[in-house]
Amino acid sequence: MLPNLFTHHAPALGSALVLNQSYEPLCVIPVKRAAVLLLTRKAETVTPGDGFLRSESMHIPVPSVVRLNRYVPIPRQVGASPSRRGVFARDDWRCVYCNASAETIDHVVPRSRGGTHTWDNVVAACAPCNHRKSDKTLAELGWRLPRVPRPPSGWQLRGFRGQRRPDPAWEAWLPKHGKERARLS
């Protein structure tokens, strides 16, 4: 039986990033679940968070990033039809037109003009930009996209339920920093 580490815990138990054995991000889980993985020796702490989890007989640092001790195969296929949450996660919950907080999704080529509901045609947008764009094309408005919309990587869709921004302690482990990390190793 596992000790009860959660009776006198750090005030803000949040989430922990789970890395595969290969250091690839898998998902985000509650700190309590991460602690169970550590106690059952299924994972190890890579980056500790703030505070400690305590019981009568032990205390462990609150995990912020944990790495699994065994490799878990990851399905690589992203669905053909984009979800609202998936579009927001891919575009970092920011409007692609003005960089404000995104509230809606927009079809770059409007559906009324033959646009499709696919990853390469759907972007996150704020309500004012979406209303202003309406059913016009970007060329008609003189707007440009800062980047071409693409299907998101699998890590962007796994485990970020309702979480708008990743914890800053996770940044080194997320893919946009992967190349820099590989050079340092």
Side-chain angles (χ1 to χ4, degrees):
M1 180 172 205
L2 296 174
N4 184 359
L5 293 171
F6 308 108
T7 54
H8 304 290
H9 54 72
L13 286 181
S15 300
L17 176 65
V18 178
L19 304 175
N20 212 340
Q21 187 181 30
S22 61
Y23 290 93
E24 180 180 14
L26 280 179
C27 61
V28 176
I29 61 174
V31 166
K32 285 184 178 187
R33 176 68 182 129
V36 170
L37 290 173
L38 295 172
L39 292 171
T40 57
R41 301 188 190 281
K42 293 180 180 179
E44 61 186 27
T45 301
V46 175
T47 305
D50 296 330
F52 289 88
L53 301 173
R54 294 179 173 89
S55 75
E56 288 183 23
S57 60
M58 67 172 47
H59 70 278
I60 61 172
V62 171
S64 179
V65 179
V66 297
R67 177 179 163 254
L68 296 177
N69 293 329
R70 295 181 61 184
Y71 182 79
V72 175
I74 305 168
R76 299 288 179 197
Q77 185 175 0
V78 173
S81 182
S83 68
R84 180 180 174 91
R85 183 177 297 157
V87 171
F88 286 145
R90 178 199 63 192
D91 294 341
D92 198 25
W93 286 272
R94 308 301 297 169
C95 175
V96 296
Y97 303 121
C98 72
N99 206 33
S101 182
E103 307 157 339
T104 65
I105 60 171
D106 180 57
H107 292 86
V108 178
V109 176
R111 294 189 79 170
S112 64
R113 298 196 181 189
T116 58
H117 187 71
T118 55
W119 287 108
D120 60 348
N121 192 48
V122 178
V123 295
C126 66
C129 286
N130 199 352
H131 182 71
R132 184 171 171 211
K133 183 176 173 291
S134 186
D135 66 343
K136 298 176 184 79
T137 65
L138 296 179
E140 290 172 343
L141 294 167
W143 291 2
R144 294 185 54 197
L145 288 175
R147 63 190 171 284
V148 177
R150 292 194 168 93
S153 63
W155 72 268
Q156 289 176 309
L157 300 178
R158 288 190 301 269
F160 288 91
R161 295 184 191 122
Q163 189 162 334
R164 290 176 101 38
R165 298 216 177 250
D167 184 324
W170 304 344
E171 290 296 323
W173 306 106
L174 297 179
K176 65 183 176 183
H177 296 288
K179 291 177 186 168
E180 294 170 17
R181 187 175 182 286
R183 272 188 261 134
L184 296 173
S185 299

